[in-house]
């Protein structure tokens, strides 16, 4: 039976990655819980892709995947810039005033996606800000956050997978062509 041996360098890198993930997670939790839910899954998937890229297995796919995931995570930072209105929030009834700042393009795209998935989350929202410390309630709340994070990051995961597949297909196409006689 073969046993895996880890050296100290690998374990220290794992400790640093976990520490960075926890500190970013705590900061995002305090800033905006939904932003954390949107970034958490794609961030962990990007870290997995980086490991696979460094290991050298399927480099074109994982290279495209990691590049797309990094671009989507950096674009997700614009989710903290919603539209700004002159008198505060827009009125609930009646025509909405023109915003003084329309909000980022990323915010508007995710707002549309949120409106599309809102009917799914109506029963789940009640668990999000409960202050109960009942173990069953905490488990249900953790499951609600995990399922929300998964659904909130589905578009990002799909785009990253498509970019990885496109990169892999392009590399195969370019490597299978015979060299040009002009070169």
């Amino acid at each position: 039976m073969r046993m895996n041996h880890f050296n100290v360098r690998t374990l220290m890198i794992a400790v640093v990655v976990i520490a960075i993930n926890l500190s970013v997670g705590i900061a995002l939790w305090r800033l905006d819980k939904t932003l954390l839910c949107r970034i958490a899954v794609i961030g962990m998937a990007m870290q997995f892709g980086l490991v696979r890229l460094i290991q050298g297995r399927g480099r074109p796919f994982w290279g495209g995947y990691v590049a797309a995931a990094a671009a989507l995570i950096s674009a997700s930072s614009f989710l903290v810039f919603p539209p700004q209105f002159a008198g505060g929030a827009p009125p609930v009834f009646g025509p909405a005033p023109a915003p003084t700042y329309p909000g980022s393009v990323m915010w508007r795209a995710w707002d549309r996606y949120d409106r599309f998935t809102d009917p799914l989350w109506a029963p789940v929202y009640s668990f999000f800000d409960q202050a109960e410390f009942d173990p069953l309630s905490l488990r249900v709340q953790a499951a609600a956050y995990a399922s929300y994070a998964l659904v909130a990051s589905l578009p990002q995961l799909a785009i990253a997978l498509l970019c990885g597949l496109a990169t892999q297909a392009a590399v195969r196409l370019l490597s299978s062509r015979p060299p040009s006689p002009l070169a």
Side-chain angles (χ1 to χ4, degrees):
M1 183 168 148
R2 183 175 177 260
M3 301 215 19
N4 289 335
H5 295 283
F6 296 105
N7 57 15
V8 174
R9 179 182 65 116
T10 304
L11 292 175
M12 291 305 292
I13 290 172
V15 166
V16 167
V17 168
I18 290 170
I20 290 171
N21 285 343
L22 288 174
S23 63
V24 168
I26 290 170
L28 285 174
W29 181 267
R30 290 181 180 162
L31 178 69
D32 185 6
K33 293 175 186 170
T34 58
L35 185 61
L36 171 65
C37 288
R38 288 185 176 112
I39 293 177
V41 175
I42 192 69
M44 289 185 288
M46 187 183 81
Q47 290 171 0
F48 176 76
L50 279 172
V51 168
R52 299 293 291 185
L53 181 65
I54 291 169
Q55 288 176 347
R57 298 182 186 134
R59 283 193 180 212
F61 171 79
W62 290 112
Y65 179 86
V66 168
L72 288 168
I73 286 175
S74 65
S76 293
S77 64
F78 292 109
L79 290 172
V80 296
F81 299 113
Q84 303 290 322
F85 295 93
V92 177
F93 300 106
T100 56
Y101 172 74
S104 67
V105 175
M106 188 66 157
W107 190 91
R108 288 182 290 203
W110 280 111
D111 185 49
R112 288 188 187 106
Y113 180 69
D114 283 345
R115 288 181 188 178
F116 174 71
T117 59
D118 267 347
L120 297 172
W121 300 111
V124 177
Y125 285 141
S126 64
F127 292 111
F128 273 3
D129 289 320
Q130 288 181 351
E132 297 178 20
F133 292 104
D134 176 32
L136 179 63
S137 174
L138 290 177
R139 281 189 227 138
V140 170
Q141 193 173 9
Y145 274 116
S147 59
Y148 179 75
L150 185 62
V151 170
S153 62
L154 278 178
Q156 292 175 326
L157 288 171
I159 291 169
L161 284 172
L162 288 175
C163 288
L165 290 172
T167 305
Q168 185 177 17
V171 167
R172 283 186 181 170
L173 180 70
L174 293 175
S175 65
S176 67
R177 287 187 177 173
S180 172
L182 301 175

